[in-house]
Amino acid sequence: MWSYPRILAHRGGGTLAPENTVAGVRRGMDAGYRAIEFDVMLARDGVPVVLHDPELGRTVAGTGSVADMDALDLAARDAGSWFGPDYEGEPVPLFVEFAQYCKAHGVWMNIEIKPVPGHDAETGAVVARLAAALFADEIAAGRVGQVPLLSSFSETALAAAREAAPRVPRAWLTEALPPDWEPRARALDAVAIHTDHTRLTASGAAQVKAAGFGLFCYTVNAPARVRELFGWGVDGLCTDRIDLIPPDFF
Ligand code: G3P
Ligand code: MG
């Protein structure tokens, strides 16, 4: 089952804007996108921020671990200059503000729970609880296609998310399908499998679909490959190349 958009902008605006920023979401919207994937982790004070790396230095100016900084300190840092001078001063988003921005603009969210190592359970619980609060009306009304989809490579984080907010759906992210993928996905009560398209086979895709799960691939940047994956029964995917692959491509 897949009640969601089929093509998502990876990390907000793909590689056309700084990842995991509001500027990225705006860039995605300019390209017609109304669905994104992004990454969330907890700062030292337990407040979630939109970031991919647990260490500063690549996209955020500074050094050190996200786990050693409070969210407002992170939010004051520059997450745009690395991409280009036009984005200087673009902040690290606080998760709640970022999600509110997306919701207000009708942008559907695949929220990847990306815990700082060792903080899996608390990250899953906090993010799920906040998502449930933000979408309480949609959940109560059964508008499943509007409620965000949580995903994570961390089964611990997903189990904690389920415990904290069972009605926010979850997807299990796995680089490749292990032999025991199905019982593991069922144990998490996951609605979908999210996987690296380069490790997926047509037969693996068929197995996931036959078992009744949604199937989502990351990160697909060639139009021909998008066609092939959808031909295999893949339900959705994210792309960095929002310039080459429009949201209604397929
Ligand atoms: O959620 C899919 C994809 O984003 C997982 O890999 O490293 O880009 O977060 P990564
Ligand atoms: Mg991600």
Side-chain angles (χ1 to χ4, degrees), residues 66-238:
V66 171
D68 294 332
M69 275 166 233
D70 289 342
L72 287 180
D73 179 7
L74 286 159
R77 287 173 188 255
D78 183 343
S81 285
W82 70 277
F83 191 86
D86 289 353
Y87 294 98
E88 186 184 340
E90 183 68 31
V92 174
L94 298 173
F95 165 66
V96 169
E97 289 180 3
F98 186 86
Q100 284 169 335
Y101 179 89
C102 291
K103 186 178 183 193
H105 289 82
V107 174
W108 180 75
M109 292 172 265
N110 168 204
I111 302 168
E112 185 189 341
I113 301 168
K114 186 85 104 184
V116 174
H119 296 266
D120 299 53
E122 57 184 301
T123 309
V126 167
V127 173
R129 223 175 270 127
L130 290 169
L134 198 55
F135 284 85
D137 291 347
E138 289 78 4
I139 292 169
R143 296 202 294 270
V144 291
Q146 293 172 12
V147 178
L149 178 61
L150 306 176
S151 61
S152 190
F153 289 105
S154 167
E155 290 163 273
T156 303
L158 290 173
R162 177 190 184 180
E163 179 74 21
R167 296 181 71 189
V168 182
R170 293 158 304 283
W172 181 37
L173 260 165
T174 177
E175 286 178 11
L177 292 174
D180 59 351
W181 69 267
E182 188 174 348
R184 287 167 72 175
R186 291 207 187 283
L188 296 164
D189 200 14
V191 300
I193 304 293
H194 289 203
T195 197
D196 181 347
H197 78 97
T198 65
R199 314 266 308 262
L200 185 68
T201 61
S203 139
Q207 286 172 42
V208 171
K209 292 311 301 167
F213 291 90
L215 179 57
F216 178 91
C217 287
Y218 68 92
T219 299
V220 188
N221 296 327
R225 182 63 170 163
V226 174
R227 279 190 211 98
E228 180 173 46
L229 291 167
F230 284 142
W232 289 356
V234 167
D235 296 298
L237 53 83
C238 60

